[in-house]
Each structure stands twice: as structure tokens, then as C-alpha cells.
Amino acid sequence: MAQSALKRLAAEAALAHIEPRLGRKTLVGVGTGSTANCFIDLLARVRHKFDAAVASSEASAERLRRQGVPVIDLNAAPALEVYVDGADEVDPQRRLIKGGGGALTREKIVAACAGEFVCIVDDSKLVSQLGAFPLPVEVLPMARGLAARALQRLGGTPVWRQGFLTDNGNIILDVSHLRIEDPLALEREINNIPGAVCNGLFAAHAADLVFVAGLQGVRRI
Ligand code: 5RP
């Protein structure tokens, strides 16, 4: 089965997971990327189960609106039931590397506002230890050199994602060769680099549930 078909299978599992909450608005947080796009394209089918969505990127907001889904600002959302998003890597503890699409900062913010973080991936994203995928770090443009040198001192090889600016107007450094033995400690250490806005390690707030699509079907981690 093609990878795109597996992504859609994982998205369908997340769709079936959405349940309306009685007595209050049901708001769904929506991630960014090709797997999240599969989820967005299915969302209109369960429009009766939720009131509105909060998007983790301008691209996802635009795609949601095209599907007829109302998109609201996070500051207007008291609480999200669930946040659904893809990932670049998933380890057995449901810790993630995200940010291949450059939306990591907003993704981390929206995920933090949700009662449940549901990750949807095909099984090529499963790893025993995070770090083969270069870790995206969002950095203020003026801090590019400083942050790159700090990331080198951590053992990484940062590469500037040239020609790309995040929705927040910042740059991305993609960092290879990091030994990520303690994802939580590294997430915190990188957060302490002056000018680093956010990094793509989701360890402090890992996924609560991962739907993994493979040739045998969808399983939960
Ligand atoms: C975007 C992300 C994506 O979730 C991640 O890159 C996975 O993307 P895809 O579903 O296209 O494989 O973190 O910032």
C-alpha cells in the first residue's frame, strides 16, 4: 500500500476518535503536513460532531476553510478537546520529532491547549530512538549564527533552511547528528539558547495516543 494511503488510514482512525462534548463547544486542534491534510480533507464528514477548529499554521487554516470548517483564533478557544497532527519521528514513549513542515512552534502551542494530543503516522515514522530525522529549531533571524554555534556545541550539525520563513517570520535550523538519549533534557537545553523560539522535540508534552497505519491496519500506541 502506498504511503499516502497509509496516511489516510491513520487520519480516518483519528476522525473516528472525535466525539462531541455535551454541554460545551467541541473544538478540534488541527496540525500541519501531508498526514494532517488527510485529516483536514475528511473533517467535513464529521462536521456535526464539533463546532470549530484551531489551526497550527496558515496553510492548514486555509485548507480547513476550503472544506467549510470554521476556524477560530486560539485565544478565542477556552479549551480544545483534541489536537490531531502528524510527526516526523515517533519513539516507543510517544515522544516525537516534528517540524518537517516548519510549523513546530504553533503546533506545540496548540497541542498544549488540548485535552488530548493524537498523533497520526504511517509506520515509516516509528523509531527506537529519536534523531535520525534532522531536528528543526525555529530561531529569530538575528540569532541564526549564535544559535547555530550553540547547536554545534551540543554535537549537532545545523543547516539553515534557506528560502523558508515560518508563519511567525522566523528561520529554521535543521540539526543533524544529535545524539538524543534524553529527549526531555535536550528539548529544555535547546529552549535555553538565546533566540531559539522552539524546537521540534515533543518530549515534555508527548502524544497521548498515536495511530500508526501499516500494511496490517491501524494500531494504537
Ligand atoms: C509540520 C510537522 C508535520 O507533522 C511533520 O513534518 C510530518 O509531516 P507529514 O505528515 O507530511 O509526513 O511537524 O511542521
Side-chain angles (χ1 to χ4, degrees), residues 31-32 37 40 55-66 167:
T32 301
N37 282 346
I40 292 172
S56 67
S57 64
E58 301 297 336
S60 290
E62 176 56 31
R63 197 173 181 109
L64 283 160
R65 287 193 197 97
R66 281 205 307 269
D167 285 347

Side-chain angles (χ1 to χ4, degrees), residues 19-35:
E19 282 306 327
R21 294 291 174 265
L22 293 176
R24 63 171 198 237
K25 281 195 185 306
T26 303
L27 303 174
V28 177
V30 178
T32 301
S34 56
T35 317

Side-chain angles (χ1 to χ4, degrees), residues 79-112:
L80 307 181
E81 294 307 323
V82 65
Y83 175 67
V84 179
D85 199 357
D88 299 299
E89 283 187 350
V90 180
D91 83 359
Q93 286 80 44
R94 299 185 302 276
R95 297 172 299 195
L96 316 171
I97 285 184
K98 289 185 46 54
L104 59 154
T105 302
R106 295 190 186 195
E107 291 171 344
K108 210 175 263 194
I109 293 168
V110 182

